[in-house]
Amino acid sequence: MGKPSIEQLRERARGAVVTPEDDAYDEARTVYNAMIDRRPAVVVRCANAGDVMAAVDFARENGLDLSVRGGGHSVPGFGTCDDGVVADLSGMRGVRVDPARRTARAEGGATWGDFNAATYPFGLATTGGIISTTGVGGLTLGGGIGYLSRGLGLSCDNLISADVVTADGRLLVASEEENQDLFWALRGGSGNFGAVTSFEFRLSPVKDIYGGPILYELDDAGTVLRSFRDLIADAPEQLGGFPAFQIAPPLPFIPENRHGEPFILIVSCWSGPVDEGQRALQAFHDIAPVVAEHVGPMPYPALNSAFDALVPPGLQHYWKANFVTELSDAAIEAHLVHGPRLPAVNSTVHIYPINGACHRVAQDATAFAYRDATFATVIAGMWPDPAENEANTAWVRDYYEATAPHSEEGGYINFMADDDQDRIRANYKSNYDRLVQVKRTYDPGNLFHLNQNIKP
């Protein structure tokens, strides 16, 4: 039998099969990070798991690179490739909630906005990200840090099962009962082991929260960071949120004459009883004088989407990431030097607390290894003008190099750039060798290599 042709792929797939000759090609190949400009041989706009199987088979049998695109937010551009196959799951966005069992099943292209819209009417949620346009799949497979992490654990800690198309084109179920080694690896091992077509999550009672951003003067940044570090160490686990550096966008709650200035802020999220929220956040108000805030009761999905407008598709992106087991005074001093130098209103630095429930999972219970880390830092360079790429990328790198000596060797997979491949072993610590064995079992030919790659 010869290699399958594009025509045969079109016959097999229900979704559109787009090639460079098609009018829809430029739209189909475009990804979230405008710095990435690649030309795949074919984009399969998957309508169901069968289409994903067809795309995987086509890539394998033709010896082509394979990219899997879920929500499409991959900063390194792993969701596309040159001259290869893109399995685009972004049309597979269904979410089905079982309120009696407190579970939800999300298709592989669903975003957290899709997920929250489905679960909120039932007063249920699980740990999602910070931006609602982020894909459920990518975030979960890399771990899944968000507003609810301290109380509910990481997204991957709430994963019950996954449907996975493996390199040989089979559709497998991974759970604690079936293919347990694959299930272990998916929870933090990123896209190395297959294309996940659906995720089943455990839900918890979270509907309305009390929170929002609180802005302070840069002169108080050291006080804010040290105080947050100390407060969050033993705060109730319903208290989430994070400190950040951010240029003030033109929002009505910020004084107009301060728009465009950099600030230190705390983005707060109290997911306990709403009527306890004001008291729960009082400590944040006592840290330092508040310049502006937009805090109060709101639906959880409103907070989860509050920053979407700052990160529309089409920006240039370059990010770096660190874990810290202790946010030391020396680390804070490095943040105070580089954080205020934000190059654009879209750029930001977030320092996510990952203690609480995240620490109650053993280091070897899932692939996500940094269970002793207390914070995960992301230096997210995002800006609209490609002419600024060199200067703004240098800001990210300089910031990262200044904080790295005060951080762990490894970092959070979901926030890493395409030049971080040399950190893969460090990212997984003692879990790495086991991940290699799982990779050899399910993808010995490394078909799924367009990721932070674990080589078989």
Side-chain angles (χ1 to χ4, degrees):
M1 294 178 64
K3 296 177 180 179
S5 66
I6 291 290
E7 289 71 27
Q8 290 170 317
L9 178 60
R10 284 196 168 109
E11 289 175 2
R12 182 175 171 188
R14 181 169 181 81
V17 174
V18 184
T19 66
E21 293 74 35
D22 295 315
D23 291 341
Y25 179 71
D26 280 335
E27 178 192 355
R29 73 183 184 89
T30 300
V31 292
Y32 184 74
N33 182 359
M35 201 180 286
I36 308 299
D37 183 22
R38 296 184 182 138
R39 301 187 66 85
V42 60
V43 178
V44 183
R45 290 180 146 171
C46 301
N48 52 42
D51 286 2
V52 179
M53 295 164 73
V56 169
D57 287 342
F58 185 83
R60 184 189 64 253
E61 292 169 19
N62 282 283
L64 298 174
D65 280 346
L66 173 65
S67 291
V68 180
R69 183 189 304 164
H73 272 215
S74 170
V75 169
F78 293 141
T80 188
C81 56
D82 282 321
D83 304 318
V85 179
V86 175
D88 182 359
L89 280 61
S90 62
M92 298 170 57
R93 295 176 62 168
V95 180
R96 180 169 53 84
V97 179
D98 184 336
R101 293 181 59 235
R102 288 186 177 175
T103 63
R105 182 172 291 279
E107 291 186 303
T111 66
W112 286 105
D114 299 326
F115 192 92
N116 295 336
T119 60
Y120 177 78
F122 300 101
L124 298 170
T126 199
T127 303
I130 305 301
I131 305 296
S132 76
T133 54
T134 301
V136 168
L139 187 90
T140 301
L141 293 175
I145 296 169
Y147 288 109
L148 305 178
S149 299
R150 295 188 68 246
L152 303 184
L154 305 173
S155 303
C156 71
D157 297 335
N158 291 279
L159 188 65
I160 300 171
S161 69
D163 294 337
V164 192
V165 177
T166 50
D168 57 5
R170 292 181 298 161
L171 180 67
L172 302 180
V173 174
S175 70
E176 294 287 7
E177 289 75 39
E178 300 178 73
N179 301 301
Q180 294 95 330
D181 55 343
L182 178 59
F183 185 56
W184 175 86
L186 291 175
R187 289 174 290 166
S190 194
N192 275 283
F193 308 97
V196 181
T197 60
S198 75
F199 298 81
E200 183 186 14
F201 291 96
R202 181 183 309 106
L203 303 177
S204 297
V206 176
K207 190 172 188 182
D208 295 334
I209 59 91
Y210 190 99
I214 306 168
L215 280 68
Y216 312 86
E217 299 286 5
L218 278 179
D219 288 347
D220 292 318
T223 300
V224 170
L225 291 177
R226 287 188 292 270
S227 298
F228 185 90
R229 173 195 64 193
D230 297 341
L231 284 166
I232 209 69
D234 56 4
E237 292 181 359
Q238 300 101 316
L239 184 61
F242 52 90
F245 288 97
Q246 181 73 55
I247 292 174
L251 296 173
F253 72 91
I254 301 173
E256 189 172 353
N257 65 337
R258 307 302 301 274
H259 293 174
E261 292 185 29
F263 289 90
I264 184 76
L265 63 151
I266 291 175
V267 184
S268 58
C269 177
W270 170 256
S271 59
V274 172
D275 60 1
E276 297 177 9
Q278 185 173 356
R279 185 174 73 251
L281 299 189
Q282 186 59 47
F284 292 160
H285 289 89
D286 294 340
I287 288 173
V290 173
V291 176
E293 64 178 323
H294 187 61
V295 171
M298 67 180 79
Y300 167 67
L303 182 62
N304 196 220
S305 60
F307 300 104
D308 288 5
L310 285 174
V311 287
L315 296 177
Q316 313 290 308
H317 290 255
Y318 184 75
W319 297 17
K320 286 288 189 181
N322 282 322
F323 284 125
V324 296
T325 52
E326 178 191 0
L327 187 60
S328 66
D329 289 345
I332 288 172
E333 289 303 315
H335 283 289
L336 298 181
V337 171
H338 294 273
R341 300 175 183 172
L342 296 154
V345 69
N346 318 92
S347 296
T348 192
V349 178
H350 293 175
I351 306 173
Y352 301 113
I354 48 171
N355 57 349
C358 303
H359 282 187
R360 291 198 293 276
V361 178
Q363 178 178 311
D364 61 355
T366 68
F368 186 95
Y370 272 90
R371 297 296 180 168
D372 56 341
T374 55
F375 291 94
T377 299
V378 58
I379 306 161
M382 301 177 282
W383 59 93
D385 186 356
E388 301 295 329
N389 284 6
E390 184 175 350
N392 292 353
T393 298
W395 170 75
V396 176
R397 286 179 173 150
D398 290 347
Y399 200 145
Y400 167 74
E401 288 171 5
T403 54
H406 313 292
S407 306
E408 298 301 307
E409 187 180 358
Y412 181 38
I413 288 289
N414 289 343
F415 292 157
M416 288 194 157
D418 58 354
D419 55 7
D420 280 316
Q421 293 284 324
D422 60 343
R423 301 174 68 192
I424 300 299
R425 179 180 285 274
N427 295 339
Y428 292 109
K429 299 201 289 189
S430 59
N431 288 340
Y432 180 78
D433 289 339
R434 182 177 174 188
L435 283 164
V436 170
Q437 292 302 316
V438 179
K439 181 75 168 178
R440 289 172 179 168
T441 300
Y442 292 94
D443 186 17
N446 206 12
L447 180 65
F448 295 98
H449 67 273
L450 295 178
N451 43 48
Q452 300 292 351
N453 193 228
I454 298 166
K455 294 179 174 61

